Amino acid sequence: MASRPAPDTERLIRAEQARLLMGNMGSSLLPAIAVALLLVHVLATPDNTLALRLWCAGVIVSKVFASWDARRLLRAPILPEHAGRLTRRLIVLNAIDGAAWGALAFAGLDPGSAANSILVVAVLAGIVGNSMSLLSPVLPVFAVFCVFELGALALKTWTLGDVAFQALSLAVLIYLTSLLSQGRNSSRAARAAIRLRFDNIELIDQLRVETNKAQQALHAAEQANLAKSKFLAAASHDLRQPIHAQGLFLEVLGRSALTPAQREVLASARSASEASASMLHTLLDFSRIEAGVVEAHIVPFRLQPLLAKIESELAPQANGQGLLYRTHDSELVLQSDPALVELILRNLVSNAVRYTERGGILVGCRRRGGGAVVEVWDTGIGIAAAQQQEIFQEFHQLGNPERDRQKGLGLGLSIARGLARILAAPLTLSSQPGRGSVFRLALPLATLDAPAAAVAAPPPAPLRPLAMRVLLVDDDAIVCASMQRLLQAWGCECQVADGIGQALALAPALRPELIISDYRLRGQQTGAEAIAALREQAGRALPALLITGDTAPARLREARNSGVPLLHKPVAPAQLYQVLVDIAANNAGDGDGERLERVKGIEPSS
């Protein structure tokens, strides 16, 4: 059984019913006047002319006033508290209108003329039938109109005394009952439609409120994520500075005369420094993907050398944990970016090694359809179905509540998924808790064979002295001190400037062969601006190198767009040394960007 509407809702419905009825008033005005005038013309006889004219005037005045009154009331809002008063007003006006039309039976009905009688009955029946669509939204209004109009007709026909007219009178009463029943159904339908409309409005309002709440929550989440990214970038930059300097100082210390015990302590210090650097490089990989500065270079390549390289680096770690590491040899040639594929697989294999306590890891590749699928299997802890998408989110880890750093930062799989999107290579997971997991990377097969592997150039003689004049631009004192000592230990003449102004003052006397600059300098200045100013002063494109500890996406894009080769702190001394060797071999500056492109690529995440 339908519940009754609340009082406020009931008043709203009644007010809307009244508004709907008054809106219908104007549509019946002209037809009613036309019908009244036509009836006077057709029915007039010498005996009833005056009565018909009076009747016609009454009908016209009633209709005109009702229409004018409705239009006047509609100019102002129909408020719920006005519903009762308006309904009573409409009942009175339509009772008068019904009585006016019913008076036609007394003014124009001629018992002696069958045509006259049929016309009067037909007109009154038609008028009351038409009023259903106009007046039924408010049932009491429709009822009084019908009663007054058809009641007058029934009374007139009954008083004529003729059996046929008395039968007609009864038929009119039956017709009246039928009309009232139909009017009730029509009124209910109108009320249901109005109530549904209000329900829909209420739902829309609720949806708007919920949408606003959702938008506010989304905005808060976006702001929190932005704050997290800013904090992460700032913290990463601030941590990279001392760790970068620490690595350089340790390299200088390693060239000193040390006792065996001191060298053992130095090795432990280097191991700790490398572990910190590894975590920061993982954050850098994640930031570079977020910044959109990673581009895929699609070429055909053989997969087997890549699998062998990963095995040679990670199998000892797996074997040290008592795990069996196996690689299925593959002769397939793939069409993708080998460096990004290597990083994806390295992250997947590293993840498998971390979370496998017994059993082993299997890496292989198989044909599937027109492509290939590289698979990394493990017998580790497995992942429940409900968490198989969550593990690809940044900083999400399973089974590491103590945040053991040996299990990484929870970014490896997020980086793998991000790189897979760049390659348009689907990365999927199948896993069962307690039995292990398999990650699958789908890649296209190459239509052409891979080019022959280039013969690697022999490495430079270790620590060959570098006779270079280097101008170092950095505003961090500890970084300047460590870098200057290391460069001097490598045979470089190095002077330090803390900004663009000091660099321009030192450059004429030093005549630098290389500019090394931090990207972020004091006063919102950048290393790119410092290099551009020094090159303009020298009148030539001095070889240059940017080093940055920034991981903010916007900063990474700015540094990349500068066109100057870029290294990321903390820079391994061996990596920096190799860069200087390459630049020394191209002292005119030609080709250094191309040679350094390999150095500034994404470092594999561990």
Side-chain angles (χ1 to χ4, degrees), residues 332-593:
L332 294 178
V333 180
L334 305 181
Q335 185 78 13
S336 191
D337 186 319
L340 300 188
V341 171
E342 177 184 349
L343 183 53
I344 293 172
L345 296 180
R346 189 182 302 277
N347 276 297
L348 296 179
V349 174
S350 297
N351 187 74
V353 172
R354 289 192 190 104
Y355 291 95
T356 302
E357 297 178 354
R358 61 181 182 274
I361 291 96
L362 173 65
V363 183
C365 183
R366 66 179 73 186
R367 290 178 181 269
R368 180 169 294 177
V373 177
V374 186
E375 300 177 336
V376 178
W377 295 75
D378 68 65
T379 57
I381 60 175
I383 305 165
Q387 296 178 308
Q388 290 183 10
Q389 292 303 316
E390 295 179 3
I391 62 167
F392 289 102
Q393 298 176 2
E394 61 268 23
F395 304 108
H396 186 87
Q397 288 183 303
L398 300 178
N400 189 20
E402 69 279 7
R403 301 303 296 180
D404 182 359
R405 67 174 177 82
Q406 293 183 351
K407 293 184 179 180
L409 296 173
L411 286 175
L413 294 180
S414 176
I415 291 170
R417 172 65 64 87
L419 294 174
R421 287 198 184 102
I422 293 172
L423 294 175
L427 177 61
T428 57
L429 165 65
S430 298
S431 183
Q432 292 186 13
R435 299 190 61 181
S437 307
V438 54
F439 289 87
R440 296 182 174 90
L441 179 67
L443 295 166
L445 291 169
T447 55
L448 300 176
D449 198 3
V455 178
L463 301 182
R464 174 171 60 84
L466 300 172
M468 297 180 68
R469 296 185 300 276
V470 180
L471 178 57
L472 176 64
V473 186
D474 201 312
D475 57 7
D476 189 293
I478 192 172
V479 171
C480 288
S482 60
M483 181 74 82
Q484 188 175 33
R485 280 198 174 192
L486 183 60
L487 291 173
Q488 289 172 345
W490 288 343
C492 297
E493 179 184 353
C494 179
Q495 292 192 21
V496 175
D498 63 1
I500 296 177
Q502 190 176 4
L504 292 173
L506 293 174
L510 178 63
R511 291 181 294 112
E513 298 171 288
L514 173 66
I515 305 165
I516 300 178
S517 178
D518 187 25
Y519 184 74
R520 183 195 292 185
L521 302 175
R522 289 194 183 103
Q524 302 297 319
Q525 294 178 327
T526 68
E529 294 171 348
I531 292 168
L534 289 166
R535 284 175 170 177
E536 183 179 2
Q537 183 188 63
R540 65 188 183 92
L542 292 170
L545 178 65
L546 281 172
I547 300 180
T548 184
D550 254 310
T551 58
R555 290 280 188 176
L556 290 176
R557 284 190 288 268
E558 290 172 8
R560 176 189 174 94
N561 293 336
S562 70
V564 179
L566 179 69
L567 294 179
H568 295 277
K569 297 177 183 178
V571 180
Q575 181 188 25
L576 179 61
Y577 180 84
Q578 183 60 52
V579 172
L580 297 184
V581 169
D582 290 340
I583 292 178
N586 298 273
N587 199 28
D590 298 332
D592 63 315

Side-chain angles (χ1 to χ4, degrees), residues 15-96:
E16 183 63 18
Q17 286 178 293
R19 189 201 63 78
L20 181 61
L21 190 151
M22 288 188 294
N24 293 336
M25 287 289 193
S27 63
S28 63
L29 175 60
L30 293 180
I33 294 174
V35 169
L37 293 174
L38 181 63
L39 287 174
V40 171
H41 176 70
V42 172
L43 299 177
T45 65
D47 297 329
N48 65 10
T49 300
L50 178 59
L52 282 175
R53 287 178 179 176
L54 291 174
W55 165 83
C56 180
V59 167
I60 292 174
V61 169
S62 171
K63 296 299 293 184
V64 169
F65 179 81
S67 298
W68 169 83
D69 189 56
R71 184 170 299 181
R72 177 182 63 84
L73 292 172
L74 287 173
R75 292 194 186 102
I78 306 300
L79 302 178
E81 54 267 27
H82 300 159
R85 177 171 57 83
L86 285 176
T87 301
R88 291 190 294 271
R89 185 182 187 89
L90 291 170
I91 288 173
V92 171
L93 290 176
N94 282 275
I96 294 172

Side-chain angles (χ1 to χ4, degrees), residues 122-208:
V123 166
L124 293 179
I127 291 293
V128 78
N130 179 67
S131 68
M132 181 181 295
S133 61
L134 302 177
L135 305 180
S136 62
V138 182
L139 182 60
V141 175
F142 174 67
V144 298
F145 181 85
C146 292
V147 168
F148 275 83
E149 188 206 79
L150 293 181
L153 177 61
L155 178 61
K156 174 63 176 177
T157 54
W158 182 264
T159 58
L160 292 176
D162 187 90
V163 175
F165 279 106
Q166 289 179 343
L168 177 60
S169 177
L170 295 176
V172 168
L173 294 176
I174 294 172
Y175 179 52
L176 172 60
T177 304
S178 174
L179 283 176
L180 292 177
S181 176
Q182 294 178 33
R184 181 184 181 189
N185 293 336
S186 180
S187 179
R188 286 179 174 177
R191 284 178 58 85
I194 292 170
R195 186 172 184 180
L196 179 62
R197 175 189 168 196
F198 286 128
D199 288 344
N200 289 338
I201 291 174
E202 184 178 357
L203 288 174
I204 291 172
D205 289 340
Q206 292 177 359
L207 178 62
R208 187 179 293 111

Side-chain angles (χ1 to χ4, degrees), residues 169-347:
S169 177
L170 295 176
V172 168
L173 294 176
I174 294 172
Y175 179 52
L176 172 60
T177 304
S178 174
L179 283 176
L180 292 177
S181 176
Q182 294 178 33
R184 181 184 181 189
N185 293 336
S186 180
S187 179
R188 286 179 174 177
R191 284 178 58 85
I194 292 170
R195 186 172 184 180
L196 179 62
R197 175 189 168 196
F198 286 128
D199 288 344
N200 289 338
I201 291 174
E202 184 178 357
L203 288 174
I204 291 172
D205 289 340
Q206 292 177 359
L207 178 62
R208 187 179 293 111
V209 171
E210 294 301 323
T211 301
N212 290 337
K213 290 181 179 178
Q215 289 175 343
Q216 292 172 0
L218 177 61
H219 179 70
E222 289 174 346
Q223 292 300 312
N225 188 60
L226 180 60
K228 178 205 72 175
S229 299
K230 289 181 177 179
F231 170 78
L232 184 61
S236 176
H237 176 271
D238 294 343
L239 287 172
R240 286 171 184 274
Q241 297 290 88
I243 292 175
H244 173 63
Q246 179 188 57
L248 301 182
F249 277 130
L250 290 174
E251 179 66 20
V252 174
L253 184 61
R255 295 176 54 79
S256 307
L258 301 175
T259 65
Q262 290 171 332
R263 290 202 173 275
E264 184 176 348
V265 173
L266 176 63
S268 298
R270 276 179 166 168
S271 176
S273 178
E274 289 170 0
S276 300
S278 174
M279 290 185 179
L280 290 173
H281 283 311
T282 301
L283 289 173
L284 175 64
D285 293 347
F286 177 71
S287 297
R288 285 170 62 86
I289 294 171
E290 276 198 331
V293 298
V294 180
E295 296 180 356
H297 301 282
I298 307 299
V299 295
F301 70 96
R302 292 189 177 277
L303 179 63
Q304 183 55 37
L306 188 152
L307 298 181
K309 180 180 178 182
I310 294 176
E311 180 177 4
S312 67
E313 295 179 11
L314 296 179
Q317 180 182 347
N319 296 335
Q321 297 176 204
L323 305 175
L324 177 63
Y325 188 109
R326 291 182 56 197
T327 300
H328 275 315
D329 293 343
S330 175
E331 297 299 323
L332 294 178
V333 180
L334 305 181
Q335 185 78 13
S336 191
D337 186 319
L340 300 188
V341 171
E342 177 184 349
L343 183 53
I344 293 172
L345 296 180
R346 189 182 302 277
N347 276 297

